[in-house]
Amino acid sequence: MKAKVHVTLKNGVLDPQGKAVEHALGTLGFAGVGEVRIGKYIELELTDDAVKSKENIEDMCKQLLANTVIENFDVEIVE
Amino acid sequence: MKAKVHVTLKNGVLDPQGKAVEHALGTLGFAGVGEVRIGKYIELELTDDAVKSKENIEDMCKQLLANTVIENFDVEIVE
Amino acid sequence: MSEITPEIVKEHGLSEDEWKLCLEIMGREPNLNELGIFSVMWSEHCSYKSSKKWLKTLPTEAPWVICGPGENAGIIDIGDNQAIIFKMESHNHPSYIEPYQGAATGIGGILRDVFTMGARPICNLNALRFGEPDHEKTRHLVSGVVEGIGGYGNCVGVPTVAGECEFHASYNGNNLVNAMAVGLADADKIFYSAAAGVGNPVVYFGSKTGRDGIHGATMASAEFTEDSEEKRPTVQVGDPFTEKLVIEATLELMKTGSIVAIQDMGAAGLTSSSFEMASKGGVGVELELDQVPMREEGMTPYELMLSESQERMLVILKPGMEDIAKAVMDKWDLEFAVIGKLTDTGNMVLKWNGEVVGDLPIDPLALASPEYDRPWVKTPRPAELKASDVESNVGRIDALKTLIAHPNMASKRWIWEQYDHMVMGDTVGRPGGDSAIVRVHETNKGIAVTSDCTPRYCYLDPHEGGKQIVAETYRNITAVGAKPMAVTDNLNFGNPERPEIMGQIVGCIEGIGEACRALEYPIVSGNVSLYNETNGTGILPTPTLGAVGLIADVDKAASVAFKAEGQAIVVLGETKGWLGASRYLEVLCGREEGAPPPVDLAQELATGNFVRAEILSGIDTCHDISDGGLAVALAEMAMAGSMGCTIDIPANVEAAYAWLFGEDQGRYIVTVDADKADAFVMKAGEAGVTANIVGKTGGSDVVLGGEAVSVAELKDLHEGWMPNYMAAAE
Amino acid sequence: MKAAVIVFPGSNCDRDMLVGIEHSLGRKPEMVWHKETELPDVDFIAVPGGFSYGDYLRCGAMSAHSPIMREVVKKANQGVRVLGVCNGFQILTEAGLLPGVLMRNAKLRFICKDVHLRVENAETEFTNKYTAGQAIRIPVAHHDGNFFTDDDTLAALEGNGQVAFRYCDENGNVNEASNINGSRNNIAGILNEKKNVLGMMPHPERLCDAQLGGTDGKPMFDALVEALS
Ligand SMILES: Nc1ncnc2c1ncn2[C@@H]1O[C@H](COP(=O)(O)OP(=O)(O)O)[C@@H](O)[C@H]1O
Ligand SMILES: [Mg+2]
């Protein structure tokens, strides 16, 4: 069992890496790309039944995996 | 229209970040978490029809978004 | 049934003769685990089979040398029971395949060589060579390599204080990344790698072992071909955070008195570390490979022996000290495992869940590794060029402006500002000078460090080129006021199986040896990187040297910047106007030819001693003259001090451009108060050193024989090239 | 002054900080390992720079959860002076002692060089040996020093005199060109509301010794020593 977590920057928060990628894509000749936002994708292997609740993983996000001042997170549990 | 790109480390490639997070979760008292792998999640806004092919985004991945020596990528196009 | 087919032998890079020797040593056909071990132990990278014969000719001794080549790093005595431990090593091939991780793990590896002997690393250097700036791969490589060096070095908290960065078409397919680490230890608390004590536990600590870089060592010994990029998954990823923990844990473990011998796991991982330790100590080893901490499931003994996972150490403990050592590793959250014991069999016995899966005689394998006397031809010395053989259709100011903005001469600030060069709080001389200076913590002593190589000289005349590199490091150390103490070498060449290349290797080593002997400046450690070729085109011969000097009082150190207006500018050493193989010829005339300037070693010593003594008695501004000659050196002093100078070109010179841009060796520029200049020139003469007053400091322009350019304009050109070049990619 | 320096796995400016404090204090501060659950009786705590936990995930995120940080937060709330430099600043924001976050530098590269800072608030126990508007020269060495916060918080910081330092040129002009990392309003260092907690990206402890090229960092430690003795 696994948890897949997406951590993304909130709207309005500056994303220097996204900006740089946006610019670099232009330089490389890839036209037609608008805003680029870079987030994290975290896969957690769950070895123990106790953790398998979504709430539990959300707790991990709040405490560590995301900085909720600037980031949103999204948790999905998969087999 | 958007492209969602996941960039993840290839199997067997060391993930120092994932390892450190795995350890930190343990210290915070979250038991039952096995391996943690951290990748990137990139959202690209597509403003131009020309870029909307999956191949085109895959090209961007190969050239810039992913380091194909150690990373895999996965592209999904959404409305 | 043989499991070892000729194809398998070939895949492991063993020649037919080597395979025969292998059968002879084993007395039977080896199994795959054993073959894998032979393969890495006898790779060029681990065995030095092509260079050994010539390396033996280098001078390695001096009264202040505590430990020369043969251990993980070289050690010199700097008094007060303190020792400096240092070495340079290449990570060329990995950095070409994956620049960030390749360069990063190069830093990690060289740091381990130094702290494994008991030193706390105090600084790093990096010598970089890339293809032409407009080659399609160059920017990407520069960006990745610099980021990787910074990413690793900054995180472990060791300042990167000096280096080099050059571009040349011969590196288009083979960039060079040579990293040097310098550490400080108590002279009476040095740790060596010779295993001892039958029955003593063999202990592993650091990171877990994964399938990283298997066959990295053999890869580093093979030429690149178009399809080498297929080998990518063997790239190792560095974990500088873990390295930082390993440094602290190692130094802490050393204080517990539990260590008999210690060695990092570098190229060829567990294989070379265990064989070297056992061979040096004349003991046998029994390893329980299933006890090795593993990162992945299903790993095999073959993989465990050959993995090049980073941040791992091997140590022989005193009996019964396992718990003490484990407590240290627990504190630092590192893996710890007893993976075997020393035996008296003289063999390496590998066990896997109790079953023997390999049994090899240690000494025959480690010591009887092949040594080749490869055929070589001497490089013919090119004709000497006269000034009149060199066209000069550019004015001197334009020539100067072109030179200082040229990729090979422009400021490398863009690089060193990405390196934390101040962490640890002892960087007294920051990057940008002739040598960087790192203060010995809590003293007023300083360690001066530099790395140098002039590949174009080595290509045209390997012997003179070899001498020149030694002399240049000697000058760079001397120019800050430090005494040159010892050298580490990193010999980068093409394919040694080609006699012309072998001729370059022999010539350079002989030249280096001659100069080191003359200057009482031993080589205490080094590394060889061969087969730097792509599709049959080799790199310029690039025997990079890293040097260490000592200054007793850092407050007396000199720097290149002009400091006061109206001082006399004095050139020490003779200026004849040697343009052969010069930057002027290369950059302004597009010619890479002619005999490079010869080095007079006796004169070098006399001039060096004079300069050093004068700095210690008050001269605070000094710069050696190297690439681009007198004019470029003056411009560098002006830019560093934001102060101009006025230079009079002597009337009797044959050609002004030769006088300004010639690269005659053995020269320094110093400034002295105007009223003391004549006495200074006299004093130099008495010491057997030619001295000429060429002008004076002051103003906002550099004026060369009546023609002027502002220091501000020079600075823009000099500082502008690299950021502009790199920005074009962003 | 009784001072402590917190040491995390991966701290690497802990010794720099120790020496910086020692220059003003005349003796060494106590070094406290992050796994400790109690702080000695101190009136000044420094959280030094480095790459605690490798800066993995987010700079300072994992250290903010170290056992000792609970104590640091407690003491800070009791009024003990806390200085976070570089990674220390990042840790203090992650631990909630200071607002905002430090994002990747706008140009994405690590920067190590001397920069100039304009002293914005010279009336705190950290800064009262400088004068308001003075330009001081202090080195930076960071990859993630791009200070970001939302408009409201920014307005509050500006309104309460919580901005301690701004990046400027050598003449004290705060402009786009001197904003080395893209920070909002050129912010290089901020205070909490009570002004007993200061976080800054530049390293004052690295320029407290003329041999290292300058002493503009020393007045900060002198000021603390004076205030706390
Ligand atoms: N890759 C690098 N890393 C750090 N410092 C560098 C690097 N490349 C060049 N430098 C610094 O730039 C200065 C000039 O380099 P170089 O021209 O090679 O010096 P020199 O001619 O005195 O040998 C030196 O201080 C050197 O340490
Ligand atoms: Mg020099």
Side-chain angles (χ1 to χ4, degrees):
Chain A
M1 245 197 179
K2 264 192 185 169
K4 298 185 171 183
V5 176
H6 285 84
V7 179
T8 49
L9 284 172
K10 289 185 175 166
N11 273 338
V13 175
L14 159 100
D15 179 5
Q17 279 169 291
K19 272 259 159 341
V21 166
E22 208 173 302
H23 179 76
L25 284 173
T27 317
L28 285 173
F30 292 105
V33 177
E35 199 182 18
V36 177
R37 303 284 282 176
I38 302 190
K40 292 193 189 90
Y41 171 64
I42 308 175
E43 283 186 2
L44 306 145
E45 200 193 334
L46 307 179
T47 55
D48 183 339
D49 277 342
V51 281
K52 283 173 198 164
S53 80
K54 202 165 165 177
E55 290 72 46
N56 200 355
I57 310 292
E58 285 174 350
D59 267 355
M60 293 181 199
C61 289
K62 282 180 211 152
Q63 283 195 46
L64 183 72
L65 301 179
N67 178 344
T68 52
V69 176
I70 49 164
E71 292 170 331
N72 293 320
F73 57 84
D74 176 73
V75 175
E76 186 192 347
I77 310 251
V78 293
E79 284 312 306
Chain B
M1 244 197 180
K2 262 192 187 171
K4 298 185 171 185
V5 177
H6 285 85
V7 179
T8 49
L9 281 171
K10 287 186 178 168
N11 267 338
V13 174
L14 172 74
D15 179 5
Q17 288 213 65
K19 208 173 76 179
V21 168
E22 201 175 307
H23 178 80
L25 286 172
T27 322
L28 283 174
F30 292 105
V33 176
E35 200 183 18
V36 177
R37 304 282 282 178
I38 302 190
K40 281 193 207 108
Y41 170 64
I42 309 174
E43 284 186 1
L44 306 146
E45 201 194 332
L46 306 180
T47 55
D48 182 341
D49 276 343
V51 281
K52 284 173 194 161
S53 81
K54 203 165 164 176
E55 289 74 44
N56 200 357
I57 311 291
E58 284 173 350
D59 268 354
M60 295 182 197
C61 289
K62 282 180 208 151
Q63 286 192 45
L64 184 74
L65 304 178
N67 176 351
T68 52
V69 179
I70 50 174
E71 292 171 332
N72 293 321
F73 58 84
D74 178 72
V75 175
E76 189 191 344
I77 310 249
V78 292
E79 283 313 306
Chain C
M1 255 309 288
S2 160
E3 61 167 329
I4 309 291
T5 62
E7 285 73 53
I8 294 180
V9 174
K10 200 166 161 237
E11 264 170 40
H12 282 77
L14 290 191
S15 70
E16 258 171 59
D17 288 346
E18 287 167 355
W19 174 238
K20 273 192 206 134
L21 185 59
C22 167
L23 290 174
E24 214 171 277
I25 287 172
M26 291 298 289
R28 63 176 163 83
E29 182 167 287
N31 65 28
L32 193 62
N33 298 330
E34 294 162 338
L35 175 63
I37 288 170
F38 269 94
S39 145
V40 293
M41 288 292 288
W42 287 3
S43 69
E44 189 66 57
H45 192 78
C46 293
S47 72
Y48 294 92
K49 56 194 170 192
S50 301
S51 55
K52 223 186 301 186
K53 171 183 159 83
W54 298 100
L55 291 177
K56 285 183 201 153
T57 66
L58 290 169
T60 61
E61 284 170 10
W64 53 89
V65 173
I66 297 176
C67 172
E71 279 287 337
N72 285 296
I75 310 180
I76 56 169
D77 190 336
I78 57 160
D80 311 307
N81 191 37
Q82 288 171 323
I84 290 292
I85 304 187
F86 66 104
K87 183 172 189 265
M88 187 184 274
E89 197 165 72
S90 63
H91 236 215
N92 304 336
H93 301 251
S95 308
Y96 185 74
I97 292 171
E98 212 307 276
Y100 184 98
Q101 294 298 343
T105 51
I107 300 296
I110 193 62
L111 283 169
R112 286 191 290 282
D113 275 335
V114 160
F115 69 74
T116 196
M117 301 198 75
R120 176 169 288 280
I122 58 168
C123 66
N124 286 332
L125 291 83
N126 65 115
L128 311 178
R129 292 195 160 73
F130 299 101
E132 296 159 292
D134 53 11
H135 185 271
E136 55 176 13
K137 281 204 160 163
T138 302
R139 256 192 209 92
H140 165 73
L141 291 168
V142 173
S143 173
V145 164
V146 170
E147 234 179 293
I149 292 170
Y152 206 99
N154 299 345
C155 183
V156 295
V158 176
T160 301
V161 297
E164 302 170 79
C165 177
E166 251 193 314
F167 302 86
H168 188 274
S170 75
Y171 307 106
N172 280 351
N174 289 85
N175 60 335
L176 303 184
V177 174
N178 296 171
M180 170 169 162
V182 181
L184 173 71
D186 288 344
D188 61 356
K189 293 194 192 87
I190 287 164
F191 290 80
Y192 294 96
S193 59
V198 169
N200 280 348
V202 178
V203 164
Y204 170 117
F205 72 88
S207 282
K208 288 180 180 165
T209 298
R211 293 192 173 97
D212 308 90
I214 292 174
H215 276 180
T218 16
M219 173 177 85
S221 310
E223 248 182 72
F224 270 5
T225 52
E226 295 295 352
D227 59 81
S228 310
E229 313 217 348
E230 291 306 316
K231 293 184 178 170
R232 282 172 166 186
T234 61
V235 164
Q236 303 115 287
V237 169
D239 181 355
F241 170 57
T242 297
E243 177 98 340
K244 166 73 174 163
L245 304 182
V246 173
I247 296 177
E248 299 303 333
T250 302
L251 296 177
E252 201 166 306
L253 180 64
M254 285 168 170
K255 289 194 189 129
T256 63
S258 59
I259 297 178
V260 175
I262 180 164
Q263 158 109 348
D264 64 301
M265 292 189 224
L270 189 50
T271 293
S272 71
S273 52
S274 58
F275 271 88
E276 278 170 31
M277 292 181 86
S279 164
K280 280 185 188 141
V283 293
V285 178
E286 195 175 290
L287 291 181
E288 318 261 354
L289 292 173
D290 45 285
Q291 295 302 308
V292 173
M294 290 171 238
R295 202 168 78 217
E296 288 177 59
E297 276 168 29
M299 291 192 66
T300 63
Y302 179 91
E303 289 170 330
L304 290 166
M305 285 307 285
L306 300 189
S307 163
E308 295 195 343
S309 288
Q310 303 289 295
E311 295 97 20
R312 301 180 302 159
M313 305 289 289
L314 196 63
V315 49
I316 311 299
L317 290 181
K318 292 178 186 162
M321 300 296 254
E322 292 92 329
D323 289 348
I324 290 174
K326 183 166 187 312
V328 173
M329 299 312 143
D330 285 348
K331 171 181 170 191
W332 293 100
D333 287 322
L334 293 170
E335 298 293 330
F336 171 94
V338 178
I339 62 163
K341 61 173 191 285
L342 299 185
T343 66
D344 58 6
T345 63
N347 273 30
M348 175 76 59
V349 176
L350 309 174
K351 287 184 165 176
W352 182 248
N353 297 322
E355 198 185 311
V356 173
V357 292
D359 186 348
L360 308 101
I362 290 167
D363 268 356
L365 207 159
L367 305 177
S369 66
E371 172 178 328
Y372 295 137
D373 185 0
R374 297 204 187 271
W376 58 281
V377 293
K378 191 168 179 273
T379 311
R381 181 162 164 93
E384 293 182 8
L385 299 182
K386 295 193 292 289
S388 55
D389 297 330
V390 176
E391 62 273 34
S392 70
N393 35 25
V394 207
R396 64 184 69 129
I397 296 297
D398 283 339
L400 176 61
K401 291 196 321 198
T402 306
L403 279 171
I404 58 150
H406 185 269
N408 286 332
M409 310 280 286
S411 167
K412 300 302 174 325
R413 182 184 305 277
W414 184 91
I415 297 178
W416 79 66
E417 284 188 348
Q418 290 184 60
Y419 300 153
D420 190 338
H421 48 265
M422 299 181 223
V423 62
M424 296 186 83
D426 284 304
T427 306
V428 168
R430 297 188 192 178
D434 285 323
S435 296
I437 304 178
V438 176
R439 190 172 55 186
V440 176
H441 198 56
E442 293 182 326
T443 74
N444 236 23
K445 290 198 287 195
I447 302 302
V449 291
T450 181
S451 85
D452 292 285
C453 185
T454 316
R456 65 183 191 282
Y457 291 175
C458 293
Y459 177 71
L460 291 163
D461 184 342
H463 188 96
E464 277 306 317
K467 280 166 61 187
Q468 193 274 342
I469 305 168
V470 177
E472 178 155 2
T473 66
Y474 185 88
R475 277 173 228 145
N476 278 327
I477 299 279
T478 297
V480 299
K483 162 121 182 53
M485 301 286 282
V487 180
T488 179
D489 66 63
N490 196 148
L491 309 177
N492 309 278
F493 292 92
N495 181 350
E497 293 160 41
R498 295 204 284 134
E500 323 80 81
I501 302 284
M502 202 56 219
Q504 296 173 345
I505 299 175
V506 173
C508 286
I509 292 179
E510 284 181 344
I512 290 170
E514 184 187 334
C516 285
R517 265 185 293 273
L519 300 172
E520 218 194 350
Y521 193 32
I523 304 260
V524 296
S525 58
N527 174 249
V528 178
S529 169
L530 303 179
Y531 298 95
N532 291 290
E533 300 210 357
T534 302
N535 299 329
T537 316
I539 57 164
L540 292 183
T542 313
T544 313
L545 299 186
V548 168
L550 177 66
I551 181 164
D553 179 0
V554 293
D555 289 324
K556 299 218 162 100
S559 70
V560 301
F562 285 147
K563 295 176 188 61
E565 302 249 347
Q567 285 195 308
I569 298 172
V570 182
V571 173
L572 297 165
E574 212 177 337
T575 303
K576 289 181 183 156
W578 190 287
L579 286 173
S582 66
R583 280 287 189 221
Y584 183 90
L585 189 67
E586 177 193 343
V587 173
L588 288 142
C589 312
R591 293 163 61 189
E592 296 177 47
E593 58 182 72
V599 177
D600 177 342
L601 293 166
Q603 184 62 51
E604 194 72 49
L605 193 63
T607 311
N609 287 337
F610 176 75
V611 170
R612 205 173 310 111
E614 289 304 310
I615 291 173
L616 297 183
S617 54
I619 286 203
D620 63 0
T621 304
C622 180
H623 189 16
D624 71 308
I625 300 180
S626 58
D627 281 12
L630 181 56
V632 165
L634 288 165
E636 287 168 347
M637 299 175 84
M639 290 185 285
S642 297
M643 182 186 294
C645 59
T646 301
I647 304 300
D648 307 310
I649 300 175
N652 59 348
V653 300
E654 191 192 329
Y657 59 90
W659 188 80
L660 286 167
F661 299 106
E663 296 179 3
D664 310 84
Q665 295 295 296
R667 294 182 298 161
Y668 300 81
I669 302 173
V670 296
T671 65
V672 290
D673 291 340
D675 56 345
K676 300 190 187 111
D678 290 332
F680 180 79
V681 169
M682 288 264 293
K683 194 171 170 196
E686 282 157 20
V689 177
T690 306
N692 290 294
I693 301 173
V694 298
K696 62 173 192 298
T697 61
S700 55
D701 291 347
V702 169
V703 185
L704 303 174
E707 296 176 26
V709 55
S710 76
V711 178
E713 184 182 354
L714 288 175
K715 256 195 202 173
D716 281 348
L717 289 166
H718 187 62
E719 294 293 347
W721 180 78
M722 192 150 194
N724 290 339
Y725 169 68
M726 293 308 297
E730 281 162 8
Chain D
M1 180 172 88
K2 282 170 286 179
V5 177
I6 312 292
V7 185
F8 298 95
S11 289
N12 63 33
C13 304
D14 42 334
R15 192 180 83 181
D16 305 21
M17 184 61 84
L18 174 144
V19 172
I21 294 172
E22 193 184 6
H23 274 292
S24 293
L25 186 61
R27 58 172 191 278
K28 291 185 167 49
E30 263 190 75
M31 307 303 276
V32 181
W33 182 237
H34 76 119
K35 280 185 187 163
E36 300 291 329
T37 49
E38 254 174 75
L39 274 164
D41 176 28
V42 292
D43 41 31
F44 172 62
I45 302 165
V47 186
F51 286 68
S52 58
Y53 293 96
D55 275 359
Y56 300 145
L57 190 65
R58 291 185 314 280
C59 303
M62 287 183 260
S63 331
H65 292 290
S66 279
I68 199 67
M69 281 311 292
R70 248 163 279 163
E71 284 302 293
V72 173
V73 172
K74 204 162 88 194
K75 295 265 186 186
N77 290 334
Q78 290 165 2
V80 169
R81 287 66 166 178
V82 178
L83 170 67
V85 168
C86 201
N87 193 219
F89 184 13
Q90 295 160 344
I91 294 169
L92 296 184
T93 61
E94 283 279 344
L97 279 177
L98 291 170
V101 287
L102 285 311
M103 317 267 300
R104 183 59 49 93
N105 292 345
K107 288 199 178 136
L108 306 187
R109 299 198 177 276
F110 191 94
I111 311 171
C112 177
K113 64 174 183 183
D114 287 355
V115 300
H116 287 88
L117 305 179
R118 192 171 78 183
V119 180
E120 296 292 327
N121 182 341
E123 278 156 29
T124 74
E125 285 171 347
F126 298 94
T127 55
N128 62 26
K129 290 213 178 281
Y130 300 117
T131 52
Q134 184 185 348
I136 58 174
R137 182 169 55 89
I138 303 282
V140 291
H142 62 248
H143 208 175
D144 300 76
N146 183 347
F147 181 75
F148 178 85
T149 191
D150 58 60
D151 294 344
D152 293 345
T153 312
L154 189 66
L157 286 173
E158 295 285 359
N160 298 337
Q162 285 176 253
V163 176
F165 301 105
R166 268 185 245 275
Y167 300 108
C168 65
D169 66 16
E170 56 188 3
N171 302 315
N173 302 311
V174 173
N175 49 30
E176 186 75 30
S178 55
N179 190 354
I180 52 161
N181 53 24
S183 291
R184 291 204 78 177
N185 292 8
N186 280 46
I187 287 176
I190 55 168
L191 296 146
N192 65 344
E193 258 181 67
K194 281 170 31 193
K195 316 273 179 354
N196 66 312
V197 178
L198 169 64
M200 61 193 295
M201 288 313 297
H203 288 268
E205 79 283 7
R206 287 191 183 183
L207 277 189
C208 293
D209 173 355
Q211 278 183 346
L212 299 178
T215 54
D216 279 4
K218 191 161 181 291
M220 179 176 300
F221 298 102
D222 288 345
L224 284 162
V225 169
E226 199 175 288
L228 300 174
S229 33

